[in-house]
Amino acid sequence: MALTVPTRKPPTGDSADAPVFSVDSLWKVFGPKADRVPADPELTGLTPADLRERTGCTAAVRDVGFDVRKGEVFVVMGLSGSGKSTLVRCLTRLIEPTAGTIAIDGEDVRAMDRSRLRELRRHRAAMVFQHFGLLPHRTVLDNVAYGLEIQGMARSDRREKAAEVVAKVGLEGMEQRRPGQLSGGQRQRVGLARALAVDPEVLLFDEPFSALDPLIRRDMQDEVIRLHREEGRTMVFITHDLSEALKLGDRIALMRDGRIVQLGTPEEIVGSPADDYVREFVRDVPREQVITVRTAMRPPSAKKPVDGPAVDPDATVAEAIEAVARTGSPARVMEDGRCLGVVDHECLLGVVAGTETAREAV
């Protein structure tokens, strides 16, 4: 599996502790008398097949809880039928939840009336879908400005704002083209620009790149990373592709049969799988491209000081291997002028092999 995971640091400071979305005990059940399922411990304990046989119901989302921190890219991933797309639609009640709580900035989403829901969807949480949903008779500029038009912004103002966003996503010079004149990747950029134009607090992506060719898909992933670095906007990203999740996510919620089976950083998912299902999922991931030297390092020794190259604690093991190989010396893990630890060939290759060598003191 070819994989390049960018070095990134999670949001820090007070804002990192305040969740934008907070979800608790969330259920979405399809079928007759769906609301009885979450309330009945006997039914909640049934397997998906047994629940369907006994009640005629399908629990697409089963007792899910998580927080999305301000400024992070929170990825929900799983195979087809795992419940991930249903989950993201529940966040803004495009699909009505059966039970549980959803809050955005502390406000109860399930208690919102129609007016507040419209405000949520138009201003606070914008969705980017797999199928672009562009208006074929409108130009790129007018498609991007559409959300601003719905908000009631004056024509000259919304076109000016739309032009700024069009340039931001790399479509400058294509403002007067229509969707039929664009490639798939360009149409997805228009969809992204349309969501960005309304300046939402959260961007919700529902498998937006799954229909694109691999090279275009990679370009769009890089575009999301670039925009996130420039703006620090909170994002919830749905995907079935593990490499995409590892590349984009600050944290990943891995779903199976409507439940979250593991929630953690890419490093935690790959380095410490919660069960055999997750372990099989990440089996072919190159560990050295995900695990950081913060995990691999051993404590520094006063008796054996190291004067090798310096690496950042959030650098990947692959980057550290290159530094050690280039100099032939162990590397110092440095942060704010302080040596946190040391990495050498032995502990780095231990990570690659999946052994505990990296944890052993020398």
Side-chain angles (χ1 to χ4, degrees):
M1 179 186 296
L3 176 67
T4 302
V5 178
T7 300
R8 55 179 172 252
K9 296 183 180 180
T12 57
D14 294 340
S15 64
D17 298 324
V20 177
F21 270 111
S22 187
V23 177
D24 186 49
S25 303
L26 186 67
W27 286 79
K28 177 55 189 178
V29 182
F30 296 96
K33 299 180 181 179
D35 56 352
R36 64 181 163 154
V37 175
D40 187 336
E42 185 178 351
L43 296 180
T44 60
L46 296 176
T47 66
D50 288 342
L51 181 65
R52 282 193 299 272
E53 182 178 351
R54 181 164 170 179
T55 68
C57 292
T58 298
V61 176
R62 302 169 64 99
D63 196 24
V64 165
F66 59 87
D67 289 337
V68 178
R69 302 165 185 161
K70 185 175 177 62
E72 80 169 332
V73 180
F74 185 89
V75 173
V76 182
M77 75 155 297
L79 300 178
S80 179
S82 63
K84 57 190 183 300
S85 290
T86 300
L87 173 60
V88 74
R89 283 167 165 78
C90 284
L91 295 182
T92 57
R93 285 174 55 195
L94 291 174
I95 292 177
E96 285 288 348
T98 305
T101 61
I102 305 167
I104 181 168
D105 294 326
E107 182 179 1
D108 187 350
V109 174
R110 296 195 67 196
M112 289 180 176
D113 59 19
R114 290 185 179 181
S115 175
R116 289 297 289 166
L117 272 180
R118 282 196 299 270
E119 193 273 339
L120 170 66
R121 295 167 186 167
R122 290 178 181 178
H123 298 272
R124 301 169 71 183
M127 183 80 80
V128 181
F129 295 98
Q130 173 183 343
H131 302 292
F132 319 118
L134 304 181
L135 302 171
H137 60 287
R138 289 194 172 210
T139 64
V140 165
L141 192 66
D142 287 336
N143 264 286
V144 173
Y146 181 70
L148 301 173
E149 180 181 344
I150 296 297
Q151 291 180 1
M153 184 180 288
R155 186 173 189 272
S156 60
D157 292 339
R158 68 178 183 254
R159 287 175 68 85
E160 180 180 352
K161 176 65 179 292
E164 293 175 3
V165 182
V166 166
K168 184 179 291 187
V169 300
L171 292 177
E172 194 169 14
M174 300 184 185
E175 292 86 349
Q176 299 309 311
R177 295 188 186 182
R178 285 180 165 74
Q181 298 172 296
L182 303 175
S183 68
Q186 290 167 339
R187 289 196 296 272
Q188 191 56 279
R189 285 175 187 267
V190 176
L192 176 58
R194 184 175 57 189
L196 285 170
V198 299
D199 196 25
E201 183 178 0
V202 187
L203 277 172
L204 306 174
F205 295 86
D206 187 13
E207 300 205 61
F209 310 144
S210 60
L212 301 177
D213 293 336
L215 291 179
I216 300 174
R217 181 172 187 160
R218 186 179 63 192
D219 287 345
M220 288 303 302
Q221 292 167 355
D222 292 341
E223 186 69 15
V224 168
I225 292 170
R226 181 184 68 81
L227 288 170
H228 183 254
R229 284 175 174 165
E230 291 178 358
E231 301 188 350
R233 197 181 302 270
T234 307
M235 300 179 181
V236 178
F237 199 100
I238 308 301
T239 183
H240 66 270
D241 185 274
L242 178 60
S243 62
E244 185 167 74
L246 295 172
K247 181 175 182 178
L248 297 179
D250 292 311
R251 288 188 301 149
I252 300 168
L254 179 56
M255 294 189 71
R256 182 187 189 190
D257 294 334
R259 298 186 185 275
I260 292 177
V261 293
Q262 186 169 359
L263 195 164
T265 65
E267 184 171 8
E268 289 166 344
I269 298 286
V270 172
S272 302
D275 58 19
D276 289 342
Y277 178 76
V278 181
R279 192 170 293 107
E280 182 65 20
F281 223 103
V282 303
R283 182 184 61 182
D284 296 326
V285 173
R287 293 167 56 87
E288 69 275 11
Q289 295 184 18
V290 179
I291 306 298
T292 66
V293 295
R294 192 186 295 274
T295 297
M297 67 185 184
R298 58 178 171 81
S301 171
K303 296 180 180 179
K304 298 179 181 179
V306 171
D307 191 27
V311 295
D312 188 271
D314 293 304
T316 64
V317 164
E319 293 168 329
I321 288 174
E322 183 178 343
V324 170
R326 186 171 60 247
T327 62
S329 301
R332 296 166 296 143
V333 183
M334 302 294 294
E335 186 174 54
D336 298 327
R338 185 167 61 95
C339 182
L340 302 181
V342 175
V343 288
D344 55 21
H345 277 106
E346 183 180 5
C347 62
L348 293 172
L349 293 177
V351 170
V352 176
T355 70
E356 290 299 312
T357 307
R359 292 293 193 184
E360 295 174 1
V362 174

